[in-house]
Amino acid sequence: HDIPRHYLIVSPSIRITKLRPTMILKLPEDLILKIFSHLGTIPDIAHASQASKDLLNCTKSPKLWMEFAIRKYGNRAAHQSIDLYKGDWKAMLQDDNKEGVHPTVERVWKSNYAYNCDDYYYVCLVTAIQFDRTKEELLVYVDARGESDLRHPQTSYLYSEVVDGREIMIEYHNRAAEFKSFLQQETAGHFKGVLSFRLGNVPTSGRKFNFLFANRDPRWSDYERITLLDIDEEKGIYENLQQMDGFKYLPKDQHPFINDTPQVERERWELHVPSSVLQSDRRRDGMRKWWL
């Protein structure tokens, strides 16, 4: 605030640009809007707009907020969401597009069955997690394979733990509220879909959220526990997701499995299952081939 107003302050993270507002305004409007669209955040734009009345008017252009939305959410997600905000791009950004997209992290977490062997093998892969900010739900995408008695994912649990001194306390545990399958045909030994866990008013800051696949009692597990989220004291789930590798925004009508093909699935599983399991044709006990 002690800097003369004839300087245009682009962003606190960018050094001051010695351009007078009148010089900026000699540029074509589309170029001015493009410059503004790269400022970073809405507060940055508000800060820059204080340099002159003409620059303030530039920030009112719908083109600016459209550019900003496309850069943040991606072209497809932004345009699919705009009708939810009645064509108001700025309103979409102010709401952080809660109605149109899910914050998503796509990566693979692996949970092995404790008693696996080549003739009797089970694995659950978590391939993505999403946070539904309107319903306060954590969505967990699973691809689980095994023998014909593979348990249904509906019996999976999510629980949080917090370290108080040296003691780990389990504060919250919840069985999956719903499992939605993405398989065209259900087959014994294979489940692929999304589990939803209702969080409601559950505290999230300073906690770990762990996933247990297909366990009827959260106090024990014959599958490896997966830590999906390890949230800092001053952050929530959304802020934590944004800092994780593989973060993106996905339109609500587009799930992480949408581009799966048999080849993509095989390549995914080849990284996590021994070839002796994938390539075996028959079991000693006469059960069908593990790989579907």
Short mmCIF file of all heavy atoms in Angstrom, two decimals, residues 56-86:
data_model
loop_
_atom_site.label_atom_id
_atom_site.label_comp_id
_atom_site.label_asym_id
_atom_site.label_seq_id
_atom_site.Cartn_x
_atom_site.Cartn_y
_atom_site.Cartn_z
N LEU A 56 -10.09 -1.58 -13.75
CA LEU A 56 -11.20 -2.14 -12.98
C LEU A 56 -12.31 -2.59 -13.91
O LEU A 56 -12.90 -3.66 -13.73
CB LEU A 56 -11.72 -1.11 -11.99
CG LEU A 56 -12.97 -1.52 -11.18
CD1 LEU A 56 -12.67 -2.73 -10.31
CD2 LEU A 56 -13.44 -0.35 -10.31
N ASN A 57 -12.59 -1.80 -14.94
CA ASN A 57 -13.63 -2.17 -15.90
C ASN A 57 -13.24 -3.43 -16.67
O ASN A 57 -14.10 -4.26 -17.01
CB ASN A 57 -13.89 -1.01 -16.86
CG ASN A 57 -14.59 0.16 -16.19
OD1 ASN A 57 -15.31 -0.03 -15.20
ND2 ASN A 57 -14.38 1.37 -16.70
N CYS A 58 -11.93 -3.58 -16.93
CA CYS A 58 -11.47 -4.79 -17.65
C CYS A 58 -11.77 -6.05 -16.83
O CYS A 58 -12.07 -7.11 -17.40
CB CYS A 58 -9.97 -4.70 -17.93
SG CYS A 58 -9.55 -3.62 -19.31
N THR A 59 -11.69 -5.93 -15.53
CA THR A 59 -11.91 -7.12 -14.68
C THR A 59 -13.38 -7.53 -14.65
O THR A 59 -13.70 -8.60 -14.13
CB THR A 59 -11.44 -6.87 -13.24
OG1 THR A 59 -12.26 -5.86 -12.63
CG2 THR A 59 -9.99 -6.44 -13.21
N LYS A 60 -14.25 -6.71 -15.20
CA LYS A 60 -15.67 -7.06 -15.23
C LYS A 60 -16.05 -7.84 -16.49
O LYS A 60 -17.20 -8.23 -16.65
CB LYS A 60 -16.51 -5.79 -15.14
CG LYS A 60 -16.32 -5.03 -13.82
CD LYS A 60 -17.13 -3.74 -13.80
CE LYS A 60 -16.91 -2.97 -12.49
NZ LYS A 60 -17.69 -1.70 -12.45
N SER A 61 -15.10 -8.07 -17.35
CA SER A 61 -15.38 -8.78 -18.60
C SER A 61 -15.60 -10.27 -18.34
O SER A 61 -14.77 -10.93 -17.70
CB SER A 61 -14.21 -8.61 -19.57
OG SER A 61 -14.36 -9.47 -20.68
N PRO A 62 -16.70 -10.84 -18.85
CA PRO A 62 -16.92 -12.30 -18.70
C PRO A 62 -15.80 -13.12 -19.33
O PRO A 62 -15.51 -14.23 -18.88
CB PRO A 62 -18.24 -12.52 -19.45
CG PRO A 62 -18.93 -11.19 -19.44
CD PRO A 62 -17.84 -10.18 -19.51
N LYS A 63 -15.13 -12.56 -20.38
CA LYS A 63 -14.05 -13.30 -21.02
C LYS A 63 -12.91 -13.58 -20.04
O LYS A 63 -12.27 -14.63 -20.10
CB LYS A 63 -13.51 -12.50 -22.21
CG LYS A 63 -14.44 -12.43 -23.40
CD LYS A 63 -13.76 -11.67 -24.54
CE LYS A 63 -14.67 -11.58 -25.76
NZ LYS A 63 -14.00 -10.84 -26.87
N LEU A 64 -12.65 -12.61 -19.15
CA LEU A 64 -11.58 -12.78 -18.18
C LEU A 64 -11.86 -13.96 -17.27
O LEU A 64 -11.02 -14.84 -17.06
CB LEU A 64 -11.42 -11.51 -17.36
CG LEU A 64 -10.49 -11.62 -16.14
CD1 LEU A 64 -9.06 -11.92 -16.59
CD2 LEU A 64 -10.54 -10.35 -15.30
N TRP A 65 -13.07 -13.99 -16.72
CA TRP A 65 -13.42 -15.06 -15.77
C TRP A 65 -13.54 -16.41 -16.47
O TRP A 65 -13.27 -17.45 -15.88
CB TRP A 65 -14.71 -14.69 -15.04
CG TRP A 65 -14.56 -13.37 -14.33
CD1 TRP A 65 -15.11 -12.18 -14.68
CD2 TRP A 65 -13.75 -13.12 -13.18
NE1 TRP A 65 -14.71 -11.19 -13.83
CE2 TRP A 65 -13.88 -11.74 -12.90
CE3 TRP A 65 -12.94 -13.91 -12.38
CZ2 TRP A 65 -13.21 -11.15 -11.82
CZ3 TRP A 65 -12.27 -13.31 -11.32
CH2 TRP A 65 -12.41 -11.95 -11.04
N MET A 66 -13.92 -16.39 -17.75
CA MET A 66 -13.95 -17.65 -18.51
C MET A 66 -12.54 -18.19 -18.68
O MET A 66 -12.29 -19.40 -18.49
CB MET A 66 -14.60 -17.43 -19.88
CG MET A 66 -14.68 -18.70 -20.71
SD MET A 66 -15.39 -18.44 -22.36
CE MET A 66 -14.04 -17.54 -23.15
N GLU A 67 -11.59 -17.31 -19.03
CA GLU A 67 -10.20 -17.74 -19.18
C GLU A 67 -9.67 -18.30 -17.86
O GLU A 67 -8.97 -19.32 -17.83
CB GLU A 67 -9.33 -16.55 -19.61
CG GLU A 67 -9.54 -16.09 -21.04
CD GLU A 67 -8.77 -16.96 -22.02
OE1 GLU A 67 -7.95 -17.80 -21.59
OE2 GLU A 67 -8.98 -16.80 -23.24
N PHE A 68 -10.00 -17.63 -16.79
CA PHE A 68 -9.57 -18.05 -15.46
C PHE A 68 -10.13 -19.44 -15.13
O PHE A 68 -9.42 -20.33 -14.64
CB PHE A 68 -10.04 -17.04 -14.41
CG PHE A 68 -9.14 -16.91 -13.23
CD1 PHE A 68 -9.01 -15.70 -12.57
CD2 PHE A 68 -8.45 -18.00 -12.74
CE1 PHE A 68 -8.19 -15.57 -11.45
CE2 PHE A 68 -7.62 -17.89 -11.62
CZ PHE A 68 -7.50 -16.69 -10.98
N ALA A 69 -11.41 -19.65 -15.41
CA ALA A 69 -12.07 -20.92 -15.11
C ALA A 69 -11.48 -22.05 -15.95
O ALA A 69 -11.25 -23.16 -15.45
CB ALA A 69 -13.57 -20.81 -15.34
N ILE A 70 -11.23 -21.78 -17.22
CA ILE A 70 -10.67 -22.81 -18.10
C ILE A 70 -9.28 -23.20 -17.64
O ILE A 70 -8.90 -24.38 -17.63
CB ILE A 70 -10.64 -22.32 -19.56
CG1 ILE A 70 -12.07 -22.24 -20.11
CG2 ILE A 70 -9.79 -23.23 -20.43
CD1 ILE A 70 -12.16 -21.60 -21.48
N ARG A 71 -8.49 -22.21 -17.23
CA ARG A 71 -7.13 -22.50 -16.78
C ARG A 71 -7.14 -23.33 -15.49
O ARG A 71 -6.28 -24.18 -15.28
CB ARG A 71 -6.36 -21.20 -16.55
CG ARG A 71 -4.90 -21.41 -16.23
CD ARG A 71 -4.09 -20.16 -16.50
NE ARG A 71 -4.52 -19.03 -15.69
CZ ARG A 71 -4.05 -18.77 -14.47
NH1 ARG A 71 -3.15 -19.56 -13.94
NH2 ARG A 71 -4.47 -17.73 -13.80
N LYS A 72 -8.13 -23.10 -14.63
CA LYS A 72 -8.16 -23.81 -13.35
C LYS A 72 -8.78 -25.19 -13.47
O LYS A 72 -8.24 -26.18 -12.94
CB LYS A 72 -8.93 -22.99 -12.31
CG LYS A 72 -8.98 -23.66 -10.94
CD LYS A 72 -9.54 -22.75 -9.87
CE LYS A 72 -9.45 -23.43 -8.50
NZ LYS A 72 -9.95 -22.56 -7.41
N TYR A 73 -9.92 -25.30 -14.15
CA TYR A 73 -10.68 -26.55 -14.16
C TYR A 73 -10.52 -27.37 -15.44
O TYR A 73 -10.94 -28.52 -15.49
CB TYR A 73 -12.18 -26.26 -13.95
CG TYR A 73 -12.47 -25.44 -12.73
CD1 TYR A 73 -13.02 -24.17 -12.84
CD2 TYR A 73 -12.18 -25.92 -11.46
CE1 TYR A 73 -13.28 -23.40 -11.72
CE2 TYR A 73 -12.43 -25.15 -10.34
CZ TYR A 73 -12.98 -23.90 -10.47
OH TYR A 73 -13.24 -23.13 -9.37
N GLY A 74 -9.90 -26.75 -16.48
CA GLY A 74 -9.82 -27.42 -17.77
C GLY A 74 -10.98 -27.01 -18.65
O GLY A 74 -12.07 -26.67 -18.17
N ASN A 75 -10.77 -27.04 -19.96
CA ASN A 75 -11.76 -26.55 -20.91
C ASN A 75 -13.08 -27.31 -20.81
O ASN A 75 -14.15 -26.71 -20.73
CB ASN A 75 -11.20 -26.64 -22.34
CG ASN A 75 -12.12 -26.02 -23.36
OD1 ASN A 75 -12.41 -24.82 -23.31
ND2 ASN A 75 -12.61 -26.82 -24.29
N ARG A 76 -13.00 -28.64 -20.82
CA ARG A 76 -14.23 -29.44 -20.81
C ARG A 76 -15.02 -29.25 -19.51
O ARG A 76 -16.23 -29.02 -19.52
CB ARG A 76 -13.90 -30.91 -21.00
CG ARG A 76 -15.14 -31.78 -21.06
CD ARG A 76 -14.81 -33.24 -21.21
NE ARG A 76 -16.04 -34.03 -21.21
CZ ARG A 76 -16.13 -35.25 -20.74
NH1 ARG A 76 -15.08 -35.85 -20.24
NH2 ARG A 76 -17.26 -35.91 -20.78
N ALA A 77 -14.32 -29.35 -18.38
CA ALA A 77 -15.00 -29.24 -17.09
C ALA A 77 -15.63 -27.86 -16.90
O ALA A 77 -16.74 -27.73 -16.38
CB ALA A 77 -14.02 -29.54 -15.95
N ALA A 78 -14.91 -26.82 -17.33
CA ALA A 78 -15.42 -25.46 -17.17
C ALA A 78 -16.68 -25.25 -18.00
O ALA A 78 -17.69 -24.73 -17.51
CB ALA A 78 -14.35 -24.44 -17.56
N HIS A 79 -16.66 -25.66 -19.26
CA HIS A 79 -17.82 -25.44 -20.13
C HIS A 79 -18.99 -26.33 -19.75
O HIS A 79 -20.16 -25.93 -19.91
CB HIS A 79 -17.43 -25.65 -21.59
CG HIS A 79 -16.73 -24.48 -22.20
ND1 HIS A 79 -15.36 -24.36 -22.25
CD2 HIS A 79 -17.22 -23.34 -22.77
CE1 HIS A 79 -15.03 -23.21 -22.82
NE2 HIS A 79 -16.14 -22.58 -23.15
N GLN A 80 -18.72 -27.52 -19.23
CA GLN A 80 -19.82 -28.38 -18.79
C GLN A 80 -20.49 -27.81 -17.54
O GLN A 80 -21.66 -28.10 -17.29
CB GLN A 80 -19.32 -29.79 -18.51
CG GLN A 80 -19.06 -30.61 -19.75
CD GLN A 80 -18.70 -32.05 -19.42
OE1 GLN A 80 -18.30 -32.36 -18.31
NE2 GLN A 80 -18.86 -32.92 -20.39
N SER A 81 -19.78 -27.02 -16.76
CA SER A 81 -20.31 -26.52 -15.49
C SER A 81 -21.02 -25.19 -15.61
O SER A 81 -21.79 -24.82 -14.71
CB SER A 81 -19.16 -26.39 -14.47
OG SER A 81 -18.47 -27.59 -14.29
N ILE A 82 -20.79 -24.45 -16.69
CA ILE A 82 -21.25 -23.06 -16.73
C ILE A 82 -22.77 -22.93 -16.64
O ILE A 82 -23.29 -21.98 -16.04
CB ILE A 82 -20.71 -22.35 -17.99
CG1 ILE A 82 -21.01 -20.85 -17.92
CG2 ILE A 82 -21.26 -22.97 -19.25
CD1 ILE A 82 -20.42 -20.17 -16.70
N ASP A 83 -23.50 -23.89 -17.19
CA ASP A 83 -24.97 -23.81 -17.10
C ASP A 83 -25.45 -23.92 -15.65
O ASP A 83 -26.53 -23.40 -15.32
CB ASP A 83 -25.62 -24.92 -17.94
CG ASP A 83 -25.49 -24.65 -19.43
OD1 ASP A 83 -25.19 -23.50 -19.80
OD2 ASP A 83 -25.69 -25.59 -20.23
N LEU A 84 -24.68 -24.59 -14.80
CA LEU A 84 -25.04 -24.71 -13.39
C LEU A 84 -24.98 -23.36 -12.69
O LEU A 84 -25.58 -23.18 -11.62
CB LEU A 84 -24.11 -25.71 -12.68
CG LEU A 84 -24.12 -27.14 -13.23
CD1 LEU A 84 -23.01 -27.97 -12.58
CD2 LEU A 84 -25.48 -27.79 -12.98
N TYR A 85 -24.24 -22.42 -13.28
CA TYR A 85 -24.10 -21.08 -12.71
C TYR A 85 -24.75 -20.02 -13.60
O TYR A 85 -24.39 -18.85 -13.54
CB TYR A 85 -22.61 -20.77 -12.48
CG TYR A 85 -22.00 -21.66 -11.42
CD1 TYR A 85 -21.35 -22.85 -11.76
CD2 TYR A 85 -22.11 -21.34 -10.08
CE1 TYR A 85 -20.82 -23.68 -10.80
CE2 TYR A 85 -21.57 -22.16 -9.10
CZ TYR A 85 -20.94 -23.33 -9.47
OH TYR A 85 -20.40 -24.16 -8.50
N LYS A 86 -25.69 -20.46 -14.44
CA LYS A 86 -26.48 -19.58 -15.30
C LYS A 86 -25.61 -18.66 -16.14
O LYS A 86 -25.91 -17.47 -16.32
CB LYS A 86 -27.46 -18.77 -14.44
CG LYS A 86 -28.44 -19.63 -13.66
CD LYS A 86 -29.38 -18.80 -12.81
CE LYS A 86 -30.37 -19.70 -12.04
NZ LYS A 86 -31.28 -18.91 -11.18
#
